[in-house]
Every structure is written in C-alpha cells, then in structure tokens.
Amino acid sequence: LPILVDQMETLVRTERGKFGEWRISAFYYNTALCYFGMGKYREALHWLNRLLNDRKLEQSRPDLYSSSRLFNLIVHLELENDELLEHLLRSTHRDLSRKGKLFDLEALVLKFISRMVADQGKRKATLTEFRQEVGSLVTTYPDSEVPAYFDYLSWVESKLTSKPFAALVKEAADSLRKKMPAVNQKEMR
C-alpha cells in the first residue's frame, strides 16, 4: 500500500488540476481507511489530518467532512489518546451541532466514544450497547448512508471479538453482494 499511495500522491501533486477536489478528498479518506483496516492507526491519522486540514472540504463535501470528524475520533480511541479525545469530542459535537449535521448516527457515535473514554472499565458493555443501537439505526433507516463512509458495525464487532476489522468489512461486503439482485450486463451498457 505505501508504494501505491506514494505513486498516487505524486500524481495528485504533479497533476492536481486534472483531479477535482472531491476526488483528492476521497483519496485521502480512503487511504486513511485502508491504513486503519491494516491496524496502522498513526498512518490513518496522518491522512485524516491532511483531509481535515483542507478548509475547502467543509463547503465542498460536508458529508465527508462530518464522517471524517467521527472517523478521527475512532482513530484517536484506537491510539488511546484519551486526554485529547475529551477535547476532540467537545469540539466535534459543537462543530456538527453548529452546522446542523448532528444526526442520529453522529450523536450516537459521540455519546458512546464519550462513555468509553469516561469509564474504560465498562468498554465491553458500552461496545455491546453501541452495536445494538447502531444495528437499530441500520434497521430503522435501511437505505440511509449509515455505513457509507465507515462500517461502525464491523468496527464494534472487531472490538468485541478481536477479529480484524478489515476481515469483518470484507465479510459484510460479501454478504451484501450476495443479497443484491444480479444485474443484467446489457442494462449496464
């Protein structure tokens, strides 16, 4: 992955005008997500910081910005940056509230990360409850973009079962693929 990322970054730097800002933002986010899936949280944080430091992102991709703020919290939780997390939780809550982007999922993620930081002795119970509530959201809003940017259910499951996050995301994607109706290739042309 590092070689591919270096090549892509060089391409973005030398040919920036050929890419839309939204594609560059997606590249940064997906790179962070790949590193996160590999358990390389510091590298994931590096790419998230590049994304979140882009002032244009808030206006051009508010959905990606909000998701990145939440993903940033999860990365800091994995890095056990608990003191910083307290500040980031307040800041993220205030920012999303001010912009009218504090929806059910965002509020749920903030609530549970806050609880995990406050009472580390009850993390497993908190994660179990979080899994149930996220699952309820997915059931209540089946067509929503709840897992569109980050698979919270797979992340929680990985924390509870010690299975790799990337493996659980792959299982979830395979399961979803099996449920989707076959697409006629002629219709796609």
Side-chain angles (χ1 to χ4, degrees), residues 15 22 30 39 62 114:
E15 306 288 333
W22 65 273
N30 288 322
S114 180

Side-chain angles (χ1 to χ4, degrees), residues 77-93:
L77 186 68
E78 292 289 357
L79 289 168
E80 299 177 355
N81 292 338
D82 292 344
E83 287 181 29
L84 179 58
L85 259 172
E86 291 175 17
H87 165 73
L88 289 174
L89 280 162
R90 286 189 305 274
S91 171
T92 301
H93 187 278

Side-chain angles (χ1 to χ4, degrees), residues 44 71 77 83 94 102 169-170 178 187:
F71 186 20
L77 186 68
E83 287 181 29
R94 184 176 49 247
L102 189 60
V169 169
K170 183 181 181 323
K178 288 177 185 173
E187 291 176 16

